[in-house]
Amino acid sequence: MTKRLLKAEDLYALHSITNPQLSPNGEEAVFTRTYIDEEKNKYVAHLFHLDVESGAVTQWTYGENRVSSPSWSADGKSVAFLSNRNEQNQIYIIATNGGEARQLTTLANGVSQFRWSPCGKNIWFSGRLKEGKKFTDLVEKEEKKKPTAYIVDGMKYKADGKGLLPQGIYNQIGKIDVATGDVQLFSEGNHHYSLEAVSHDGGKLVMSVNRAENKDFDFSQQIILVDIETKEETTIFHEEGHYGDAYFSYDDRYIAFYGSDRKYKNASHGAVYIYDTEEQRYWNLTQDFDAPVGDAAVADHQQGATAPTVVWTEANDLYFQVSTMGDIRLYYATLDGAIYPASPEGEHVYGYDVERNGAFALLAISNPVLPGEIFKYDVTTGASEQVTHFNDDFVEEVELVQPEAISYKSSDSLDVYGWLMKPAQYEEGKKYPLIVEIHGGPHTMYANSFFHELQLLAAQGYGVLYVNPRGSHGYSQEFVDAVRSDYGGGDYEDVMAGIDAVLAEHSWIDKERLGVTGGSYGGFMTNWIVGHTNRFKAAVTQRSISNWISFFGVSDIGYYFTDWQMGTDMKDVEKLWQHSPLKYAENVETPLLILHSEKDFRCPIEQAEQLYITLKSMGKETQFVRFPDADHNLSRTGLPSLRIERLAQITGWFEKYL
């Protein structure tokens, strides 16, 4: 059978299979399937049931909305989940023996997260609550609301994907009676609380909060163990950094949680921390393990994919994800610090759950030629069985290119890793153009995962080079930290050395037809590249940074991210200007397409406007495309029609100039 070439519109044919959750007895599981409704231009997600023994899959929910965060009750008789059937996410419960899902909450501002109480009679949740209001208060209806002024006091007043943050509204923790629907407020004070865990005996909560009066430069997180009956608090951790997502061991003695300190600012490796409730001490379980805990992969297919920081077994062993050498693998650990890989190389494990006795796991797995399915995995023997098959038809019908893993030495002899894709339907002896893709972050990584955009470029007849330059996760703490204060230095050399390496090894690449593109940090690097070399015949910059000086004040994270990444702030404008691609606009000779979202608060569109007007005023070959109703995540979670248009703009530009 001759397979067809992949198309941009294949986004509509793909299914995102995520969030496997095993039942307490390990005999059943639920998961979510997300797809794009082309006609309605929206994402739809449903809940599915899996019989682990037989492999039988049954759809449990229907409709035109999204389901997320499925969770079993302790007795295995019910599954709760979030759904946006009524605009805001609310909690729904479905009986495992059949029947319709029942809406449990009707909160004015919806539910952010929830955890079952072990008794099954209550569900703990967190949600946004206006100061002085109750969770049960109805939304005040205003027929024609007059515009009012937004008074800004602090520096954290806006966020990408949210816009201006609501004032006087805080994330609070409450409890709802499953039978009666009665709601009680548990947390106190005007602070943002996160619900982390409920003990197996039902007597304690773990929650996190920052109670600092001025949070502009306070990035500490207080993790608190709370006695539900007395509300007595025990602080188990309070340090600068990003911490949370806690899990009790089955005997309730230990609490595992995620942590990333501020030693290397936001480049610090994520770690697993353990708190011993008997000895009242904590330690970093992965302190001597030079790889980040969690999933650092960047791609564009998986929708709503979440994974726990850890999963305990009854023997008090742990499983967690690790991003390492281009893979996201499942790892196993003991409390004394022994850590071993538990899943194979060459995969992206983007979701998982482990049976409580540790006999097997359900893994959501992707690789460069597999969009993603759920596998039953024997953690002892390594035997693996695919149990969902939603993308089988797509894989059988469409020609997908298996990339070649590469490694090379950069200009300073640093080892750099990446991948090279040949064009689809490659013919020996022909010359092909090559496009270099650069990921965002920069503290993320390309991985052994399905990437629709990369496959599309290969289907259009391009070779594709994508590498993890210094600053990327997955190789070492030293490697990921190496880009800070040196944007456009060693990272630029890493990308260019990659081009030299593949040109030396692959005669099919036409060195006169090179293109480059990337978004966010990858957009910065695209801008930097075209200002420092004329090797490329075409470039597309997306959601980029062009001017660090203005970025400091206009980005939702600019005032601290600039210091974290560039090592300075507005006290050293000269350094910021030295590392700003806009400074080198006069050098640009490469035709540059500039793509940017109107509602991007992370890298605001003024970054693109400055670059475009500057280049245009200098008579450079450039074009500017603005996307309405889109934020920084257009390429991943944006409106489907705009995602298709974005891909058309990219491929159209390269077709014109390459």
Side-chain angles (χ1 to χ4, degrees):
M1 173 183 171
T2 301
K3 294 187 175 185
R4 67 169 177 84
L5 293 173
L6 182 139
K7 303 175 294 185
E9 289 75 16
D10 279 322
L11 283 175
Y12 300 124
L14 290 165
H15 301 270
S16 178
I17 313 304
T18 61
N19 306 330
Q21 300 288 316
L22 281 161
S23 64
N25 63 14
E27 297 175 358
E28 306 170 80
V30 290
F31 62 90
T32 55
R33 179 201 66 171
T34 306
Y35 67 95
I36 297 174
D37 185 321
E38 181 177 4
E39 182 180 349
K40 293 184 170 57
N41 199 30
K42 64 187 292 189
Y43 299 90
V44 177
H46 294 138
L47 183 68
F48 282 73
H49 174 269
L50 169 69
D51 184 293
V52 174
E53 182 65 28
S54 70
V57 172
T58 307
Q59 186 169 341
W60 269 10
T61 66
Y62 295 83
E64 301 176 356
N65 304 105
R66 297 190 74 162
V67 163
S68 62
S69 306
S71 177
W72 293 83
S73 59
D75 61 8
K77 294 182 178 180
S78 301
V79 172
F81 58 88
L82 297 179
S83 178
N84 63 349
R85 296 181 187 184
N86 295 302
E87 295 187 4
Q88 300 279 3
N89 263 339
Q90 303 288 355
I91 300 174
Y92 289 75
I93 296 179
I94 190 168
T96 57
N97 61 0
E100 291 286 332
R102 170 172 68 95
Q103 183 172 345
L104 181 63
T105 62
T106 55
L107 307 187
N109 295 308
V111 174
S112 304
Q113 55 187 160
F114 71 91
R115 300 286 186 273
W116 280 96
S117 177
C119 65
K121 296 179 180 179
N122 301 302
I123 289 180
W124 293 88
F125 68 90
S126 65
R128 294 181 299 122
L129 187 62
K130 193 168 185 177
E131 184 179 356
K133 295 289 185 179
K134 300 177 181 178
F135 276 122
T136 52
D137 288 343
L138 298 176
V139 179
E140 298 177 1
K141 293 185 178 180
E142 300 180 14
E143 292 186 5
K144 289 186 178 181
K145 187 176 180 179
K146 296 179 180 179
T148 58
Y150 185 98
I151 301 173
V152 178
D153 289 321
M155 299 175 78
K156 298 176 183 176
Y157 70 92
K158 61 182 180 179
D160 186 62
K162 298 179 181 179
L164 295 176
L165 298 176
Q167 296 177 315
I169 294 180
Y170 302 91
N171 211 54
Q172 302 285 7
I173 295 174
K175 180 177 70 171
I176 185 166
D177 187 296
V178 172
T180 66
D182 291 340
V183 178
Q184 297 178 13
L185 176 65
F186 183 80
S187 54
E188 299 174 351
N190 295 331
H191 307 289
H192 291 291
Y193 290 89
S194 179
L195 173 65
E196 305 295 352
V198 183
S199 63
H200 294 282
D201 65 10
K204 292 181 170 59
L205 291 183
V206 176
M207 61 186 189
S208 60
V209 64
N210 183 338
R211 289 172 172 155
E213 185 174 341
N214 186 340
K215 299 180 178 64
D216 286 340
F217 289 99
D218 190 315
F219 298 94
S220 64
Q221 197 73 9
Q222 186 177 12
I223 300 180
I224 304 168
L225 181 64
V226 188
D227 185 288
I228 291 173
E229 187 67 29
T230 65
K231 287 197 172 184
E232 180 182 356
E233 296 183 0
T234 300
T235 297
I236 65 177
F237 194 89
H238 192 185
E239 300 288 345
E240 282 277 322
H242 175 59
Y243 300 92
D245 199 28
Y247 299 86
F248 281 93
S249 60
Y250 280 100
D251 61 7
D252 284 335
R253 174 173 176 176
Y254 300 102
I255 300 169
F257 60 96
Y258 175 88
S260 176
D261 63 30
R262 283 287 175 261
K263 183 176 181 180
Y264 302 97
K265 306 305 181 183
N266 63 325
S268 294
H269 276 171
V272 173
Y273 286 76
I274 305 293
Y275 179 79
D276 185 333
T277 62
E278 291 186 7
E279 299 182 3
Q280 294 190 325
R281 68 182 183 93
Y282 71 85
W283 68 95
N284 182 342
L285 183 69
T286 57
Q287 182 173 358
D288 297 324
F289 187 62
D290 197 9
V293 169
D295 184 352
V298 58
D300 62 357
H301 167 57
Q302 301 303 337
Q303 296 293 327
T306 59
T309 290
V310 303
V311 171
W312 288 96
T313 70
E314 292 175 328
N316 281 347
D317 298 326
L318 306 95
Y319 288 87
F320 48 85
Q321 295 164 300
V322 174
S323 296
T324 174
M325 299 299 293
D327 297 325
I328 293 83
R329 303 175 68 182
L330 189 69
Y331 269 67
Y332 161 86
T334 60
L335 285 175
D336 60 7
I339 302 175
Y340 308 98
S343 70
E345 297 178 335
E347 296 179 340
H348 176 193
V349 177
Y350 61 87
Y352 72 102
D353 199 5
V354 182
E355 204 270 338
R356 63 171 59 196
N357 67 14
F360 70 92
L362 288 183
L363 306 181
I365 295 175
S366 176
N367 63 47
V369 293
L370 176 69
E373 300 286 358
I374 294 175
F375 291 74
K376 183 180 178 183
Y377 183 74
D378 188 312
V379 297
T380 303
T381 67
S384 181
E385 175 190 2
Q386 184 176 336
V387 295
T388 66
H389 298 271
F390 291 94
N391 290 300
D392 281 4
D393 290 345
F394 172 82
V395 172
E396 291 173 6
E397 177 186 344
V398 177
E399 179 176 346
L400 299 175
V401 177
Q402 177 68 53
E404 172 194 349
I406 64 169
S407 64
Y408 57 91
K409 296 286 186 181
S410 188
S411 58
D412 57 359
S413 297
L414 185 72
D415 289 320
V416 182
Y417 298 84
W419 295 264
L420 177 66
M421 297 173 71
K422 287 182 177 178
Q425 300 181 351
Y426 168 84
E427 296 179 23
E428 197 71 41
K430 288 186 65 175
K431 288 278 192 178
Y432 294 91
L434 178 75
I435 294 175
V436 180
E437 282 262 6
I438 307 171
H439 67 64
H443 308 311
T444 57
M445 71 178 199
Y446 283 126
N448 282 305
S449 187
F450 179 79
F451 208 131
H452 173 267
E453 179 179 328
L454 304 185
Q455 291 287 348
L456 177 63
L457 291 174
Q460 299 261 339
Y462 303 105
V464 184
L465 173 66
Y466 54 110
V467 304
N468 286 323
R470 68 192 73 194
S472 304
H473 265 310
Y475 301 96
S476 71
Q477 181 64 80
E478 182 181 6
F479 189 88
V480 72
D481 187 54
V483 73
R484 294 196 310 122
S485 297
D486 190 38
Y487 273 44
D491 50 352
Y492 168 74
E493 296 294 338
D494 294 347
V495 174
M496 302 307 291
I499 298 168
D500 292 336
V502 296
L503 284 174
E505 294 290 330
H506 300 276
S507 60
W508 58 265
I509 301 173
D510 186 346
K511 66 179 181 179
E512 300 301 323
R513 290 191 292 162
L514 301 178
V516 61
T517 186
S520 196
Y521 164 79
F524 160 86
M525 183 52 65
T526 299
N527 296 340
W528 186 267
I529 285 173
V530 297
H532 287 78
T533 180
N534 296 325
R535 292 183 69 177
F536 294 91
K537 296 299 180 184
V540 180
T541 184
Q542 308 166 56
R543 57 187 186 280
S544 71
I545 294 175
S546 67
N547 183 351
W548 282 104
I549 298 172
S550 62
F551 176 84
F552 181 91
V554 297
S555 169
D556 61 344
I557 62 173
Y559 74 93
Y560 59 86
F561 183 85
T562 304
D563 180 39
W564 290 359
Q565 292 297 296
M566 302 308 301
T568 191
D569 53 22
M570 294 295 283
K571 297 184 186 72
D572 189 355
V573 174
E574 183 56 35
K575 181 177 181 181
L576 297 183
W577 187 237
Q578 283 293 123
H579 288 271
S580 294
L582 193 64
K583 177 181 179 180
Y584 308 97
E586 190 174 2
N587 301 337
V588 175
E589 295 181 11
T590 306
L592 180 66
L593 176 64
I594 303 169
L595 307 182
H596 220 103
S597 297
E598 297 274 3
K599 296 181 179 179
D600 190 335
F601 277 46
R602 185 59 37 86
C603 296
I605 198 168
E606 63 87 29
Q607 294 286 305
E609 292 170 334
Q610 289 186 69
L611 183 60
Y612 172 71
I613 292 299
T614 299
L615 292 174
K616 202 70 175 176
S617 71
M618 295 176 175
K620 308 293 184 179
E621 185 68 24
T622 186
Q623 193 174 74
F624 184 21
V625 180
R626 305 169 67 109
F627 292 91
D629 299 320
D631 58 28
H632 196 65
N633 287 301
L634 168 62
S635 65
R636 298 175 285 266
T637 60
L639 284 171
S641 60
L642 292 181
R643 291 179 65 188
I644 298 294
E645 173 62 22
R646 169 186 165 273
L647 292 170
Q649 291 291 338
I650 294 170
T651 55
W653 191 260
F654 286 132
E655 181 180 8
K656 179 178 179 180
Y657 289 99
L658 294 186

